[in-house]
Amino acid sequence: MQNVSGTRDLFSDELKKVRLIEQRARDFFTKLGFEEISTPVIEYAEVFVKSLGETTDIVMHQMYSFLDKDGKEVVLRPEGTAPVVRFYINLQVERPKVKFFYVGPMFRRERPQKGRYRQFTQVGVEMFDYPSPQADSYLVFILSEFLKNLNIEHMIQVNSVGCPKCRPSYSEALRNYFSGKPLCGDCQRRIDRNPMRILDCKVDSEIVKNAPEITDFLCEGCKNHFLEFLSFSKNMLDEGILSVNPRLVRGLDYYTGVVFEVFHRSGGNAIAAGGRYDLLAQFMGGKPTPACGFAVGVERLSEFVNLEKAKRTGVFITSMKETFGESFKLLKNILKMRSDGTIFEFKNKNEILGELIKRVDINLDLTKSLKSQLRFADSENFRFALIVGKRELLGGKVVVRDLELSKQEEVKITELFE
Ligand code: HAM
């Protein structure tokens, strides 16, 4: 049997990298005062349809949806922003200014290819009631610092997609430019409904090259906001990270003003993206609330993460037919230990105590020789082995073997668990 096309089983180093990113994200954004939010994986379709845009690829083709028994359409969430806005609208009365982060799976029925999955993980942040261009600069700054902490060399492309005041005249200019040109079928349809999306088309990139640029059409408000954002961001970011891409558009309709996409220095798919969505809260039924955020594609990012050489951890308990009961007693006592509990009387007791708490395993194959048990413990990267031998047990002792230093010492069992 096979897994669903476009989904992956994560295991070993691939999973470790994903977990590392998630853990770092939790630590990093908590430190910056963001509060974690976990919204459901299933939502009513209405949360996404109007907010992301009825003509967007996601809404038209990519949502996994089904009719619930009560006849309402339910979808697997394709992204995290709209659900957080739905939640925020109910919270808003008490706390207008709030910063969230989230970590979790998203689902899009895209054509599977490298870096494009049907289930993937996003780490996202959303800031509500933050209208200033400095807030946008802050966002790209913390995103860049987060990536730097993971040693990811990256570049950030930025643009403004304008607002309902300035976008109509730009769309009109695009319509004039594109009409009559030999565009692909998809883009022919986009001319009327959403001509800005043509700028994103890989097929028509030659025609797009000479299209009008939005920078020339921004209204006073959008232009000033963008220029201030640029000058602040240039000060805050390391040199060479930021560049303006006047043809950058996003595949979601809720953006107004500043948008950005982040790439690894070596290129490829975007590893993160975001921007400002000042009209979304009101559009979804809340009060007008300027807001901005971004999301990182965790699996895409994990391709560039290097795991440090795994350190040896934990304790492996050996066992033999005659001593199996004693080995299990040791395991039982170890499972009772907490970091604030038992003290291990040994000259490097703190280290052993630490290892006991982290990880413990026991040999369950009584036909295995002691030598092969120790070889197994070594290959599984355990730090210590507790060797439970008949002779030592007579003296109430076990042998603690340090697998890293290949040294061992007899220790009284009573001293292990004072
Ligand atoms: P997005 O650009 O659709 O934006 O997705 C953000 C990131 O999620 C992408 O840059 C990419 O790294 C990752 N991603 C998207 N689709 C896939 C896929 N099929 N497979 C693997 N990774 C993928 C959003 O979702 C917005 N909600 C971001 C945002 C937050 N804007 C404001 N706040």
Side-chain angles (χ1 to χ4, degrees), residues 6-59:
T7 67
R8 295 193 309 159
D9 300 305
L10 293 176
F11 181 63
S12 192
D13 279 1
E14 275 187 325
L15 183 59
K16 278 187 199 152
K17 288 178 186 180
V18 165
R19 291 287 180 258
L20 176 79
I21 295 169
E22 292 174 348
Q23 189 53 48
R24 291 279 182 90
R26 284 202 166 87
D27 294 347
F28 189 82
F29 295 116
T30 304
K31 183 168 166 183
L32 289 170
F34 286 74
E35 288 180 66
E36 181 162 8
I37 173 163
S38 168
T39 64
V41 166
I42 49 174
E43 292 273 358
Y44 289 125
E46 65 191 21
V47 171
F48 301 104
V49 174
K50 290 243 164 63
S51 55
L52 309 196
E54 281 168 293
T55 61
T56 55
D57 288 345
I58 295 183
V59 170

Short mmCIF file of all heavy atoms in Angstrom, two decimals, residues 6-59:
data_model
loop_
_atom_site.label_atom_id
_atom_site.label_comp_id
_atom_site.label_asym_id
_atom_site.label_seq_id
_atom_site.Cartn_x
_atom_site.Cartn_y
_atom_site.Cartn_z
N GLY A 6 1.87 12.97 -2.99
CA GLY A 6 2.15 14.33 -2.51
C GLY A 6 2.27 14.44 -1.00
O GLY A 6 2.49 15.52 -0.48
N THR A 7 2.13 13.30 -0.29
CA THR A 7 2.37 13.31 1.16
C THR A 7 3.61 12.48 1.44
O THR A 7 4.02 11.68 0.59
CB THR A 7 1.20 12.71 1.96
OG1 THR A 7 1.10 11.30 1.67
CG2 THR A 7 -0.11 13.40 1.62
N ARG A 8 4.20 12.68 2.61
CA ARG A 8 5.44 11.96 2.92
C ARG A 8 5.41 11.41 4.33
O ARG A 8 4.83 12.02 5.23
CB ARG A 8 6.63 12.90 2.79
CG ARG A 8 6.85 13.38 1.37
CD ARG A 8 8.19 14.03 1.23
NE ARG A 8 8.38 15.05 2.25
CZ ARG A 8 9.57 15.51 2.62
NH1 ARG A 8 10.66 15.01 2.08
NH2 ARG A 8 9.67 16.43 3.54
N ASP A 9 6.08 10.26 4.52
CA ASP A 9 6.33 9.78 5.88
C ASP A 9 7.66 10.38 6.30
O ASP A 9 8.65 10.23 5.59
CB ASP A 9 6.44 8.25 5.88
CG ASP A 9 5.16 7.60 5.38
OD1 ASP A 9 4.10 7.89 5.94
OD2 ASP A 9 5.24 6.80 4.42
N LEU A 10 7.66 11.06 7.42
CA LEU A 10 8.91 11.64 7.90
C LEU A 10 9.48 10.75 8.99
O LEU A 10 8.76 10.31 9.88
CB LEU A 10 8.68 13.05 8.45
CG LEU A 10 8.27 14.09 7.42
CD1 LEU A 10 7.97 15.41 8.10
CD2 LEU A 10 9.35 14.28 6.37
N PHE A 11 10.79 10.51 8.90
CA PHE A 11 11.43 9.59 9.82
C PHE A 11 12.90 9.97 9.95
O PHE A 11 13.45 10.62 9.07
CB PHE A 11 11.28 8.16 9.25
CG PHE A 11 11.87 7.09 10.12
CD1 PHE A 11 11.37 6.85 11.38
CD2 PHE A 11 12.94 6.32 9.66
CE1 PHE A 11 11.91 5.86 12.19
CE2 PHE A 11 13.48 5.32 10.47
CZ PHE A 11 12.96 5.11 11.73
N SER A 12 13.50 9.55 11.06
CA SER A 12 14.93 9.73 11.26
C SER A 12 15.36 11.20 11.07
O SER A 12 14.70 12.09 11.56
CB SER A 12 15.67 8.78 10.30
OG SER A 12 17.02 8.71 10.64
N ASP A 13 16.43 11.43 10.29
CA ASP A 13 16.97 12.80 10.19
C ASP A 13 15.98 13.80 9.61
O ASP A 13 15.93 14.95 10.02
CB ASP A 13 18.24 12.80 9.32
CG ASP A 13 19.45 12.36 10.13
OD1 ASP A 13 19.26 12.04 11.32
OD2 ASP A 13 20.55 12.31 9.57
N GLU A 14 15.16 13.34 8.63
CA GLU A 14 14.18 14.26 8.04
C GLU A 14 13.22 14.78 9.10
O GLU A 14 12.90 15.96 9.15
CB GLU A 14 13.39 13.56 6.93
CG GLU A 14 14.10 13.58 5.60
CD GLU A 14 13.21 13.02 4.49
OE1 GLU A 14 12.43 12.09 4.76
OE2 GLU A 14 13.32 13.52 3.37
N LEU A 15 12.77 13.86 9.95
CA LEU A 15 11.84 14.25 11.01
C LEU A 15 12.55 15.09 12.06
O LEU A 15 12.01 16.08 12.57
CB LEU A 15 11.21 13.01 11.65
CG LEU A 15 10.16 13.31 12.73
CD1 LEU A 15 9.01 14.14 12.16
CD2 LEU A 15 9.61 12.03 13.34
N LYS A 16 13.80 14.71 12.37
CA LYS A 16 14.56 15.47 13.37
C LYS A 16 14.71 16.93 12.94
O LYS A 16 14.62 17.85 13.75
CB LYS A 16 15.95 14.86 13.57
CG LYS A 16 15.93 13.67 14.50
CD LYS A 16 17.35 13.21 14.79
CE LYS A 16 17.32 11.78 15.31
NZ LYS A 16 18.54 11.05 15.00
N LYS A 17 14.95 17.14 11.65
CA LYS A 17 15.11 18.51 11.15
C LYS A 17 13.81 19.30 11.30
O LYS A 17 13.81 20.45 11.71
CB LYS A 17 15.54 18.50 9.68
CG LYS A 17 16.97 18.05 9.50
CD LYS A 17 17.33 18.00 8.02
CE LYS A 17 18.73 17.41 7.86
NZ LYS A 17 19.14 17.35 6.46
N VAL A 18 12.70 18.66 10.95
CA VAL A 18 11.39 19.32 11.08
C VAL A 18 11.12 19.67 12.54
O VAL A 18 10.72 20.79 12.87
CB VAL A 18 10.28 18.41 10.50
CG1 VAL A 18 8.90 18.86 10.94
CG2 VAL A 18 10.37 18.38 8.98
N ARG A 19 11.39 18.71 13.44
CA ARG A 19 11.15 18.96 14.87
C ARG A 19 12.08 20.05 15.40
O ARG A 19 11.68 20.85 16.25
CB ARG A 19 11.35 17.67 15.67
CG ARG A 19 10.29 16.63 15.40
CD ARG A 19 8.94 17.01 16.02
NE ARG A 19 7.94 16.00 15.75
CZ ARG A 19 6.98 16.11 14.83
NH1 ARG A 19 6.88 17.22 14.11
NH2 ARG A 19 6.12 15.15 14.62
N LEU A 20 13.32 20.07 14.90
CA LEU A 20 14.26 21.11 15.33
C LEU A 20 13.73 22.50 14.96
O LEU A 20 13.74 23.43 15.78
CB LEU A 20 15.63 20.88 14.68
CG LEU A 20 16.68 21.95 14.96
CD1 LEU A 20 17.29 21.73 16.34
CD2 LEU A 20 17.81 21.93 13.92
N ILE A 21 13.24 22.63 13.72
CA ILE A 21 12.71 23.93 13.28
C ILE A 21 11.50 24.32 14.14
O ILE A 21 11.39 25.46 14.60
CB ILE A 21 12.31 23.87 11.79
CG1 ILE A 21 13.54 23.63 10.92
CG2 ILE A 21 11.59 25.14 11.36
CD1 ILE A 21 13.24 23.30 9.47
N GLU A 22 10.62 23.36 14.38
CA GLU A 22 9.42 23.66 15.18
C GLU A 22 9.81 24.10 16.59
O GLU A 22 9.26 25.06 17.13
CB GLU A 22 8.51 22.42 15.26
CG GLU A 22 7.90 22.06 13.91
CD GLU A 22 7.12 20.74 13.96
OE1 GLU A 22 7.23 20.00 14.96
OE2 GLU A 22 6.43 20.45 12.98
N GLN A 23 10.77 23.39 17.18
CA GLN A 23 11.21 23.72 18.55
C GLN A 23 11.84 25.11 18.59
O GLN A 23 11.53 25.93 19.46
CB GLN A 23 12.19 22.65 19.04
CG GLN A 23 12.54 22.76 20.52
CD GLN A 23 11.29 22.81 21.39
OE1 GLN A 23 10.38 22.01 21.24
NE2 GLN A 23 11.21 23.79 22.29
N ARG A 24 12.73 25.36 17.62
CA ARG A 24 13.39 26.68 17.57
C ARG A 24 12.36 27.78 17.39
O ARG A 24 12.47 28.85 17.96
CB ARG A 24 14.39 26.73 16.41
CG ARG A 24 15.60 25.87 16.59
CD ARG A 24 16.63 26.59 17.47
NE ARG A 24 17.82 25.77 17.61
CZ ARG A 24 18.86 25.84 16.78
NH1 ARG A 24 18.87 26.70 15.80
NH2 ARG A 24 19.89 25.06 16.96
N ALA A 25 11.34 27.51 16.56
CA ALA A 25 10.30 28.52 16.31
C ALA A 25 9.55 28.82 17.61
O ALA A 25 9.32 29.98 17.96
CB ALA A 25 9.33 28.03 15.24
N ARG A 26 9.19 27.77 18.34
CA ARG A 26 8.46 27.97 19.61
C ARG A 26 9.30 28.82 20.55
O ARG A 26 8.81 29.79 21.14
CB ARG A 26 8.14 26.64 20.27
CG ARG A 26 7.01 25.92 19.59
CD ARG A 26 6.34 24.90 20.50
NE ARG A 26 5.08 24.51 19.89
CZ ARG A 26 4.95 23.52 19.00
NH1 ARG A 26 5.99 22.82 18.63
NH2 ARG A 26 3.78 23.26 18.47
N ASP A 27 10.58 28.48 20.70
CA ASP A 27 11.45 29.23 21.61
C ASP A 27 11.59 30.68 21.15
O ASP A 27 11.46 31.62 21.93
CB ASP A 27 12.85 28.59 21.67
CG ASP A 27 12.80 27.21 22.29
OD1 ASP A 27 11.76 26.86 22.89
OD2 ASP A 27 13.79 26.47 22.17
N PHE A 28 11.86 30.84 19.86
CA PHE A 28 12.18 32.15 19.30
C PHE A 28 10.99 33.10 19.40
O PHE A 28 11.11 34.23 19.89
CB PHE A 28 12.61 31.97 17.84
CG PHE A 28 13.17 33.21 17.19
CD1 PHE A 28 14.49 33.58 17.38
CD2 PHE A 28 12.37 34.00 16.37
CE1 PHE A 28 15.01 34.70 16.77
CE2 PHE A 28 12.88 35.12 15.75
CZ PHE A 28 14.20 35.48 15.95
N PHE A 29 9.82 32.66 18.95
CA PHE A 29 8.68 33.58 18.91
C PHE A 29 8.07 33.79 20.30
O PHE A 29 7.51 34.85 20.57
CB PHE A 29 7.65 33.12 17.87
CG PHE A 29 8.23 33.17 16.47
CD1 PHE A 29 8.41 32.02 15.72
CD2 PHE A 29 8.64 34.38 15.94
CE1 PHE A 29 8.98 32.09 14.45
CE2 PHE A 29 9.22 34.46 14.67
CZ PHE A 29 9.39 33.30 13.93
N THR A 30 8.21 32.80 21.18
CA THR A 30 7.75 33.00 22.56
C THR A 30 8.61 34.08 23.21
O THR A 30 8.11 34.98 23.90
CB THR A 30 7.87 31.69 23.37
OG1 THR A 30 7.13 30.69 22.70
CG2 THR A 30 7.31 31.86 24.78
N LYS A 31 9.91 33.99 22.98
CA LYS A 31 10.85 34.98 23.54
C LYS A 31 10.47 36.39 23.08
O LYS A 31 10.65 37.36 23.82
CB LYS A 31 12.25 34.61 23.05
CG LYS A 31 13.38 35.46 23.57
CD LYS A 31 14.67 34.74 23.22
CE LYS A 31 15.87 35.64 23.37
NZ LYS A 31 17.09 34.94 22.96
N LEU A 32 9.95 36.49 21.87
CA LEU A 32 9.59 37.81 21.33
C LEU A 32 8.16 38.22 21.72
O LEU A 32 7.63 39.20 21.18
CB LEU A 32 9.72 37.80 19.80
CG LEU A 32 11.15 37.75 19.26
CD1 LEU A 32 11.16 37.49 17.76
CD2 LEU A 32 11.89 39.05 19.56
N GLY A 33 7.54 37.47 22.60
CA GLY A 33 6.22 37.88 23.11
C GLY A 33 5.04 37.46 22.23
O GLY A 33 3.93 37.94 22.42
N PHE A 34 5.28 36.55 21.28
CA PHE A 34 4.16 36.03 20.48
C PHE A 34 3.50 34.90 21.29
O PHE A 34 4.19 34.15 21.97
CB PHE A 34 4.66 35.47 19.14
CG PHE A 34 5.05 36.54 18.15
CD1 PHE A 34 6.23 37.27 18.30
CD2 PHE A 34 4.23 36.84 17.07
CE1 PHE A 34 6.59 38.27 17.40
CE2 PHE A 34 4.58 37.83 16.16
CZ PHE A 34 5.76 38.54 16.33
N GLU A 35 2.17 34.81 21.18
CA GLU A 35 1.46 33.75 21.91
C GLU A 35 1.09 32.64 20.95
O GLU A 35 0.56 32.90 19.86
CB GLU A 35 0.19 34.31 22.54
CG GLU A 35 0.46 35.22 23.71
CD GLU A 35 -0.84 35.76 24.29
OE1 GLU A 35 -1.62 34.97 24.83
OE2 GLU A 35 -1.05 36.98 24.16
N GLU A 36 1.31 31.40 21.37
CA GLU A 36 1.00 30.29 20.47
C GLU A 36 -0.51 30.09 20.38
O GLU A 36 -1.22 30.19 21.37
CB GLU A 36 1.66 28.99 20.94
CG GLU A 36 1.37 27.84 19.98
CD GLU A 36 2.31 26.66 20.11
OE1 GLU A 36 3.13 26.64 21.04
OE2 GLU A 36 2.21 25.76 19.25
N ILE A 37 -0.97 29.83 19.17
CA ILE A 37 -2.38 29.49 18.98
C ILE A 37 -2.45 28.23 18.14
O ILE A 37 -1.65 28.05 17.21
CB ILE A 37 -3.16 30.66 18.31
CG1 ILE A 37 -4.56 30.19 17.97
CG2 ILE A 37 -2.47 31.20 17.08
CD1 ILE A 37 -5.52 31.30 17.70
N SER A 38 -3.38 27.36 18.48
CA SER A 38 -3.57 26.14 17.71
C SER A 38 -5.03 26.11 17.26
O SER A 38 -5.93 25.97 18.08
CB SER A 38 -3.24 24.94 18.61
OG SER A 38 -3.67 23.75 18.00
N THR A 39 -5.25 26.29 15.97
CA THR A 39 -6.62 26.27 15.45
C THR A 39 -6.88 24.88 14.84
O THR A 39 -5.94 24.15 14.54
CB THR A 39 -6.84 27.37 14.38
OG1 THR A 39 -6.00 27.08 13.26
CG2 THR A 39 -6.53 28.75 14.93
N PRO A 40 -8.16 24.52 14.66
CA PRO A 40 -8.45 23.17 14.14
C PRO A 40 -7.92 22.96 12.72
O PRO A 40 -7.75 23.92 11.97
CB PRO A 40 -9.98 23.13 14.13
CG PRO A 40 -10.43 24.23 15.02
CD PRO A 40 -9.39 25.28 14.96
N VAL A 41 -7.70 21.70 12.40
CA VAL A 41 -7.26 21.36 11.05
C VAL A 41 -8.45 21.45 10.08
O VAL A 41 -8.28 21.72 8.90
CB VAL A 41 -6.64 19.94 11.06
CG1 VAL A 41 -6.49 19.39 9.66
CG2 VAL A 41 -5.29 19.97 11.76
N ILE A 42 -9.67 21.22 10.58
CA ILE A 42 -10.84 21.37 9.71
C ILE A 42 -11.56 22.69 10.02
O ILE A 42 -11.62 23.13 11.17
CB ILE A 42 -11.84 20.19 9.85
CG1 ILE A 42 -12.16 19.90 11.31
CG2 ILE A 42 -11.31 18.95 9.17
CD1 ILE A 42 -13.25 18.84 11.50
N GLU A 43 -12.05 23.32 8.95
CA GLU A 43 -12.76 24.59 9.07
C GLU A 43 -13.92 24.57 8.08
O GLU A 43 -13.88 23.84 7.08
CB GLU A 43 -11.85 25.76 8.66
CG GLU A 43 -10.68 26.03 9.59
CD GLU A 43 -11.01 26.97 10.74
OE1 GLU A 43 -12.17 27.46 10.83
OE2 GLU A 43 -10.10 27.21 11.56
N TYR A 44 -14.93 25.40 8.30
CA TYR A 44 -15.95 25.58 7.27
C TYR A 44 -15.30 26.27 6.06
O TYR A 44 -14.46 27.16 6.23
CB TYR A 44 -17.13 26.40 7.80
CG TYR A 44 -17.95 25.62 8.81
CD1 TYR A 44 -18.18 26.12 10.08
CD2 TYR A 44 -18.46 24.37 8.47
CE1 TYR A 44 -18.92 25.38 11.01
CE2 TYR A 44 -19.18 23.63 9.39
CZ TYR A 44 -19.41 24.13 10.65
OH TYR A 44 -20.12 23.39 11.55
N ALA A 45 -15.73 25.86 4.87
CA ALA A 45 -15.12 26.39 3.65
C ALA A 45 -15.19 27.91 3.60
O ALA A 45 -14.30 28.58 3.07
CB ALA A 45 -15.81 25.78 2.43
N GLU A 46 -16.27 28.47 4.20
CA GLU A 46 -16.47 29.93 4.11
C GLU A 46 -15.30 30.71 4.73
O GLU A 46 -15.08 31.86 4.38
CB GLU A 46 -17.79 30.31 4.79
CG GLU A 46 -17.76 30.04 6.28
CD GLU A 46 -19.13 30.15 6.96
OE1 GLU A 46 -20.13 30.04 6.25
OE2 GLU A 46 -19.15 30.31 8.20
N VAL A 47 -14.56 30.09 5.66
CA VAL A 47 -13.42 30.79 6.27
C VAL A 47 -12.40 31.18 5.20
O VAL A 47 -11.74 32.21 5.27
CB VAL A 47 -12.76 29.92 7.37
CG1 VAL A 47 -11.46 30.51 7.88
CG2 VAL A 47 -13.73 29.70 8.53
N PHE A 48 -12.27 30.34 4.16
CA PHE A 48 -11.23 30.57 3.16
C PHE A 48 -11.73 31.16 1.84
O PHE A 48 -11.01 31.91 1.20
CB PHE A 48 -10.50 29.26 2.86
CG PHE A 48 -9.87 28.65 4.08
CD1 PHE A 48 -10.44 27.56 4.71
CD2 PHE A 48 -8.71 29.20 4.61
CE1 PHE A 48 -9.85 27.01 5.84
CE2 PHE A 48 -8.12 28.66 5.74
CZ PHE A 48 -8.70 27.56 6.36
N VAL A 49 -12.95 30.79 1.43
CA VAL A 49 -13.36 31.07 0.04
C VAL A 49 -13.26 32.56 -0.29
O VAL A 49 -12.55 32.96 -1.20
CB VAL A 49 -14.78 30.54 -0.22
CG1 VAL A 49 -15.26 30.97 -1.61
CG2 VAL A 49 -14.78 29.01 -0.12
N LYS A 50 -13.94 33.39 0.50
CA LYS A 50 -13.93 34.82 0.18
C LYS A 50 -12.62 35.47 0.60
O LYS A 50 -12.13 36.38 -0.07
CB LYS A 50 -15.11 35.51 0.90
CG LYS A 50 -16.47 35.13 0.32
CD LYS A 50 -17.16 36.37 -0.27
CE LYS A 50 -18.31 36.03 -1.19
NZ LYS A 50 -19.42 35.32 -0.53
N SER A 51 -12.04 35.02 1.71
CA SER A 51 -10.85 35.70 2.23
C SER A 51 -9.63 35.47 1.33
O SER A 51 -8.89 36.39 1.02
CB SER A 51 -10.54 35.23 3.65
OG SER A 51 -10.41 33.83 3.67
N LEU A 52 -9.42 34.24 0.88
CA LEU A 52 -8.28 33.98 0.01
C LEU A 52 -8.57 34.45 -1.41
O LEU A 52 -7.67 34.75 -2.17
CB LEU A 52 -7.91 32.50 -0.03
CG LEU A 52 -7.70 31.72 1.26
CD1 LEU A 52 -6.97 30.42 0.97
CD2 LEU A 52 -6.93 32.50 2.28
N GLY A 53 -9.87 34.47 -1.78
CA GLY A 53 -10.26 34.91 -3.11
C GLY A 53 -10.84 33.78 -3.92
O GLY A 53 -10.21 32.73 -4.07
N GLU A 54 -12.05 34.00 -4.46
CA GLU A 54 -12.73 32.91 -5.16
C GLU A 54 -12.02 32.45 -6.43
O GLU A 54 -12.22 31.35 -6.90
CB GLU A 54 -14.17 33.34 -5.50
CG GLU A 54 -15.08 33.23 -4.30
CD GLU A 54 -16.42 33.90 -4.51
OE1 GLU A 54 -16.44 35.14 -4.62
OE2 GLU A 54 -17.42 33.17 -4.57
N THR A 55 -11.18 33.33 -7.00
CA THR A 55 -10.50 32.94 -8.24
C THR A 55 -9.06 32.47 -8.01
O THR A 55 -8.32 32.24 -8.95
CB THR A 55 -10.46 34.12 -9.24
OG1 THR A 55 -9.73 35.19 -8.63
CG2 THR A 55 -11.84 34.58 -9.61
N THR A 56 -8.65 32.37 -6.75
CA THR A 56 -7.28 31.91 -6.50
C THR A 56 -7.17 30.41 -6.76
O THR A 56 -8.15 29.68 -6.68
CB THR A 56 -6.86 32.17 -5.03
OG1 THR A 56 -7.83 31.56 -4.18
CG2 THR A 56 -6.79 33.64 -4.73
N ASP A 57 -5.93 29.96 -7.07
CA ASP A 57 -5.70 28.54 -7.33
C ASP A 57 -6.15 27.70 -6.14
O ASP A 57 -6.74 26.64 -6.31
CB ASP A 57 -4.21 28.27 -7.60
CG ASP A 57 -3.80 28.82 -8.96
OD1 ASP A 57 -4.70 29.11 -9.77
OD2 ASP A 57 -2.59 28.97 -9.19
N ILE A 58 -5.81 28.19 -4.95
CA ILE A 58 -6.13 27.39 -3.75
C ILE A 58 -7.62 27.12 -3.68
O ILE A 58 -8.05 25.98 -3.54
CB ILE A 58 -5.65 28.12 -2.47
CG1 ILE A 58 -4.13 28.22 -2.45
CG2 ILE A 58 -6.15 27.37 -1.22
CD1 ILE A 58 -3.55 28.85 -1.21
N VAL A 59 -8.43 28.19 -3.79
CA VAL A 59 -9.87 28.01 -3.63
C VAL A 59 -10.48 27.27 -4.82
O VAL A 59 -11.34 26.41 -4.67
CB VAL A 59 -10.55 29.38 -3.40
CG1 VAL A 59 -12.07 29.24 -3.47
CG2 VAL A 59 -10.13 29.95 -2.05
#
